[in-house]
Amino acid sequence: MKKTILFLLLSTTTLFCFSQDKIAESLGTKTLYQPRQNKYAKTPVGFEPVYINYVGRHGARHLTKDIKISSAYKRVSTADSLNELTADGKYLKQLILNLGKEEEGHVASISKSGEDELKGIAERMFDHHKSIFVPAKPILVSTTKKGRTKESAEAFLEGLKSRNPVSTEKVTFNFADDDHLRFYDFSKTYDEFKEKGNWIGAYQKLAESKQLKTISNKFTSKFFKSGYLSKLTQEDKIAFTEDIYGFYTILNAVGAEIKQAGLTAKELDFKSLFSMEDLSVLGTLGDAEDFLTKGPGMNNNGIQVRIAAPLLADFINTTDAFLKSKPVGADLRFSHAETIAPFAAIMNIKGASESANDVMKFNQNWKAENVIPFSANIQWIFYQNKSNGKYLVKFLLNEKEAVINGLPTNSFPFYTWSSVRAFYLKRLKMLNFGLQDDAHKYLLNVK
């Protein structure tokens, strides 16, 4: 959580009452991937799948930074050296050291679970669209500069290969396509929005209603003696609580590696440190921050969505290229949650693009575990009628047939490509981005 946000949480909060039967544990963006649909609408008579345009998040992963540089590790280590850890604090320190043992050599990489997720998506893609992959057609694979996206691409290709070895014989790689897949790295306006945008006030309102200050005070007091505790600011206590919560949320993704490290669930039982109420609050607040800063937030035309314009244009351009000369049978991109959430929003996908006037109701439509779990993906699947040359396209969000808000169709889940193209060109025009515009320049200057 950004420091700016944390300072805003110092004000007195009002009591928030939980109904025990409504408390639900949520892992949000750390949710392991499951396809959201298994049976699909029948392909219209005369049409067959010919091309897939795909973007996906990397698979389930390990921590992105060494545990020893986390503020939580530094705090418990410092407090221990000063003899300021309680008995619970010493227990917590051992849990952290155990997690460090499991994470050694794995930091920033996808896990075995992540590999399995990507392989599964690829296998189902092949099974549903064999004509796209056999006989072997060229495939373009694009990734970001981060190693976990390259690992995800390799796992995905292994999934295709397991179905038919020839399907991956003609693969070309486009590494570090960050203008399209890490667009959020290049916009100063977006950075300013994250640091001091109007979303912070909405987040603060939600955090106060959820008693984040009270939860962090109570949580932190279990581990540190009064001498060290008195030196911690409210900001420190919230950051510490969220750090430990982050350690807990990653465990579900690294089950194989925990076993490989010779550790048991009890030796990594961060969950026991929290009440179910605490887990519910921290999960909700994490989802809210993602919704406000990466998703539709309070404005689906906000900067957090506008920065996805280059990726939308790239989908149109690569589709146009396929229709013109068929250079590849599939465009496969591997990216991050910060890519998928705004792309789903800019596409107007139902359940992923609705903004919220009232932050207290942000998750009535948008749920992080549905939109951006590990291995989250968006697929544009194209079907051609060979007799008349017409094209239909079906959209999938995490393998569920998606409704595009504002785009009519008489044959859902299929849309005519001509109407889709016109719809998204209009969207791009509103965002002041053209199909041939320089993506990097746009990101540097977008307001």
Side-chain angles (χ1 to χ4, degrees):
M1 199 69 62
K2 298 297 183 182
K3 290 184 177 180
T4 306
I5 308 166
L6 299 175
F7 279 121
L8 289 171
L9 298 171
L10 300 180
S11 58
T12 303
T13 59
T14 56
L15 181 63
F16 180 81
C17 297
F18 291 94
S19 172
Q20 190 66 35
D21 62 348
K22 292 184 179 179
I23 294 171
E25 181 183 354
S26 170
L27 294 179
T29 62
K30 306 300 192 302
T31 301
L32 292 182
Y33 183 84
Q34 290 291 332
R36 299 189 61 223
Q37 187 172 331
N38 295 308
K39 295 182 179 179
Y40 295 97
K42 189 175 181 179
T43 303
V45 175
F47 286 83
E48 67 175 38
V50 292
Y51 171 62
I52 293 178
N53 221 340
Y54 173 99
V55 62
R57 184 188 180 193
H58 57 75
R61 61 164 173 76
H62 293 268
L63 295 172
T64 55
K65 295 180 181 178
D66 192 305
I67 203 163
K68 290 187 177 180
I69 67 174
S70 69
S71 62
Y73 175 85
K74 292 176 182 177
R75 292 212 177 279
V76 295
S77 297
T78 299
D80 194 25
S81 69
L82 298 172
N83 194 29
E84 284 288 333
L85 283 182
T86 65
D88 283 341
K90 291 182 182 296
Y91 174 65
L92 172 60
K93 182 182 179 183
Q94 188 58 54
L95 293 183
I96 295 174
L97 291 174
N98 291 343
L99 182 59
K101 176 184 176 182
E102 178 277 319
E103 285 291 286
E104 188 173 356
H106 298 302
V107 173
S109 295
I110 66 171
S111 64
K112 176 62 167 57
S113 293
E115 292 177 8
D116 292 343
E117 289 173 342
L118 271 300
K119 288 178 181 177
I121 295 169
E123 288 166 356
R124 290 186 295 275
M125 179 184 287
F126 181 95
D127 292 344
H128 290 300
H129 314 103
K130 291 184 178 67
S131 60
I132 292 178
F133 298 101
V134 179
K137 297 180 178 66
I139 296 173
L140 177 62
V141 172
S142 301
T143 68
T144 75
K145 62 187 176 185
K146 296 296 183 180
R148 57 186 173 274
T149 63
K150 297 175 177 63
E151 294 168 349
S152 296
E154 291 167 359
F156 194 99
L157 292 174
E158 281 299 313
L160 290 178
K161 189 175 180 179
S162 71
R163 285 299 195 255
N164 193 307
V166 306
S167 63
T168 58
E169 286 183 347
K170 301 177 181 179
V171 178
T172 301
F173 290 92
N174 178 19
F175 294 126
D177 185 14
D178 287 6
D179 282 343
H180 294 122
L181 300 177
R182 282 185 68 90
F183 41 75
Y184 46 89
D185 274 351
F186 303 116
S187 173
K188 182 179 178 181
T189 302
Y190 178 60
D191 288 340
E192 292 172 348
F193 168 78
K194 286 193 298 180
E195 291 291 337
K196 54 186 179 182
N198 60 5
W199 70 274
I200 294 174
Y203 179 88
Q204 176 192 7
K205 178 182 176 183
L206 183 64
E208 289 177 349
S209 77
K210 299 291 187 182
Q211 292 272 344
L212 179 58
K213 176 184 173 182
T214 301
I215 288 172
S216 63
N217 287 345
K218 183 179 179 181
F219 183 80
T220 309
S221 67
K222 293 191 294 185
F223 308 109
F224 302 109
K225 295 179 182 178
S226 58
Y228 189 80
L229 196 64
S230 65
K231 298 176 183 178
L232 298 180
T233 65
Q234 185 67 62
E235 175 195 4
D236 295 334
K237 294 174 183 178
I238 293 174
F240 178 81
T241 302
E242 291 177 339
D243 254 10
I244 304 303
Y245 176 72
F247 295 160
Y248 155 68
T249 61
I250 209 69
L251 297 179
N252 204 36
V254 296
E257 289 80 3
I258 290 173
K259 185 176 181 180
Q260 191 176 58
L263 294 167
T264 64
K266 187 175 181 180
E267 291 173 301
L268 290 165
D269 193 10
F270 290 98
K271 183 177 182 178
S272 66
L273 307 176
F274 298 92
S275 68
M276 288 303 293
E277 292 92 339
D278 293 346
L279 293 175
S280 178
V281 167
L282 293 168
T284 296
L285 292 177
D287 289 357
E289 186 179 4
D290 289 325
F291 171 78
L292 293 166
T293 62
K294 304 179 183 74
M298 310 301 287
N299 177 8
N300 190 27
N301 292 318
I303 184 62
Q304 81 283 1
V305 175
R306 293 202 300 276
I307 53 174
L311 180 55
L312 180 57
D314 186 54
F315 263 69
I316 297 173
N317 283 330
T318 49
T319 299
D320 285 347
F322 170 80
L323 299 184
K324 181 179 180 180
S325 60
K326 298 178 176 53
V328 300
D331 278 285
L332 307 175
R333 305 167 184 80
F334 298 87
S335 59
H336 307 270
E338 296 89 342
T339 311
I340 304 301
F343 188 56
I346 204 171
M347 279 182 59
N348 277 17
I349 293 178
K350 185 177 181 180
S353 62
E354 294 86 353
S355 58
N357 294 323
D358 182 357
V359 72
M360 308 300 287
K361 300 177 181 179
F362 84 92
N363 55 4
Q364 285 189 343
N365 294 307
W366 194 97
K367 299 183 186 302
E369 64 265 31
N370 291 341
V371 180
I372 45 174
F374 285 129
S375 296
N377 59 88
I378 294 172
Q379 304 182 37
W380 293 17
I381 304 169
F382 287 81
Y383 302 79
Q384 184 183 25
N385 187 318
K386 295 295 179 67
S387 64
N388 59 25
K390 290 185 178 180
Y391 287 91
L392 298 175
V393 57
K394 178 171 71 173
F395 303 100
L396 300 181
L397 172 61
N398 299 327
E399 299 180 74
K400 181 179 180 179
E401 292 167 340
V403 173
I404 305 300
N405 290 329
L407 180 59
T409 178
N410 294 321
S411 55
F412 179 82
F414 302 96
Y415 295 80
T416 63
W417 169 239
S418 58
S419 65
V420 169
R421 191 176 190 277
F423 180 78
Y424 286 136
L425 284 179
K426 184 177 180 180
R427 184 94 165 98
L428 287 172
K429 183 177 181 180
M430 183 182 68
L431 299 173
N432 297 312
F433 190 77
L435 293 183
Q436 304 309 316
D437 286 357
D438 185 305
H440 193 73
K441 184 178 180 180
Y442 169 82
L443 294 169
L444 291 176
N445 295 288
V446 63
K447 301 298 182 183

